[in-house]
Amino acid sequence: LDYTPQLRLSCLPAVVSLERLSSLSLRGCRLVGDAFIKRAVRALRPRLQSLDVSDTAATHDKLVKYLTEAHMPALEKLGAAHLNVGDVHVQRIAAANRRLTALDVSDSPRLTSPGVSRALCSLPLLRSVALARCKLLGDGVLEALGASCLMLSSAKLDELAVTDSGVAAMAAGCGGLEVLSLRGCRRVGDRAVLALCEHVDALLEID
């Protein structure tokens, strides 16, 4: 249902009545807000494996409350980009959903390296992370990925304040990385690329 601008609450009963539904993406549905998401999560939580509420009308405080209190034992993938989440929000989400394999909190300008690093320590199963344009994030986050997220295979890190040292630390721990985007990371140079070539044999795509 991504980028379906006319989607409203009236269709929710039909959506949640689908007994085999385990993945729900509402990305870019600008009329979808807290009421819709809360009711959807409540109805689908026993079987929901993937949820994307990026760029909706959800408010970050209420969204985090749903995601941390709903107890979704099957949740593996979460998209919460463009929602202005902060460090405490991401930490609470990570602590309540330690089985996450994919997390997207791109375009969250309030996130800081210490806060996100602390959250990543709770996510050892993470395989895909998107932190693009979270411009306060620096090398500390890449070091946390290299230390805690050893199964990482995809990382979108566009326009972060990272350097060669951070990329090298991530490369040393994430040898299974297949897709990496560092677009717009202006402080990344040759040493980062050499470190990736040395440690990451699995790399298929680099941007």
Side-chain angles (χ1 to χ4, degrees):
L1 298 173
D2 291 0
Y3 298 99
T4 309
Q6 299 304 315
L7 190 68
R8 295 178 184 272
L9 191 60
S10 58
C11 75
L12 182 60
V15 172
V16 300
S17 69
L18 299 171
E19 294 183 358
R20 301 183 63 185
L21 188 68
S22 61
S23 177
L24 179 62
S25 181
L26 302 167
R27 179 181 285 261
C29 297
R30 298 291 181 86
L31 296 180
V32 169
D34 298 316
F36 192 113
I37 295 170
K38 181 179 181 178
R39 289 176 61 182
V41 167
R42 182 180 297 166
L44 297 172
R45 62 186 176 188
R47 61 185 188 275
L48 198 60
Q49 298 175 7
S50 176
L51 176 65
D52 194 340
V53 293
S54 301
D55 201 16
T56 61
T59 54
H60 48 259
D61 287 324
K62 291 183 178 180
L63 174 66
V64 171
K65 183 178 176 65
Y66 312 149
L67 296 178
T68 55
E69 296 180 357
H71 182 60
M72 293 180 284
L75 190 65
E76 296 180 356
K77 300 179 180 180
L78 176 64
H82 294 276
L83 294 181
N84 199 30
V85 294
D87 291 343
V88 173
H89 301 125
V90 174
Q91 290 166 21
R92 289 177 60 193
I93 289 171
N97 300 279
R98 293 176 180 268
R99 295 180 68 251
L100 284 179
T101 62
L103 177 65
D104 182 357
V105 287
S106 299
D107 297 285
S108 300
R110 297 193 297 153
L111 292 178
T112 69
S113 288
V116 174
S117 298
R118 194 170 298 117
L120 292 173
C121 292
S122 299
L123 300 174
L125 303 181
L126 201 64
R127 297 183 61 83
S128 175
V129 66
L131 301 168
R133 295 171 297 281
C134 298
K135 297 190 176 184
L136 296 181
L137 301 186
D139 287 341
V141 169
L142 273 61
E143 292 166 3
L145 287 170
S148 302
C149 305
L150 307 186
M151 299 174 64
L152 196 68
S153 62
S154 175
K156 295 182 179 180
L157 309 172
D158 304 345
E159 298 182 33
L160 303 190
V162 297
T163 69
D164 292 348
S165 297
V167 176
M170 179 181 64
C174 302
L177 196 62
E178 296 179 349
V179 178
L180 174 63
S181 180
L182 294 167
R183 181 179 296 182
C185 295
R186 299 181 182 277
R187 299 169 65 191
V188 169
D190 291 351
R191 286 202 304 118
V193 176
L194 291 172
L196 289 166
C197 293
E198 178 181 356
H199 295 290
V200 188
D201 295 335
L203 202 59
L204 300 174
E205 179 182 334
I206 184 169
D207 190 358

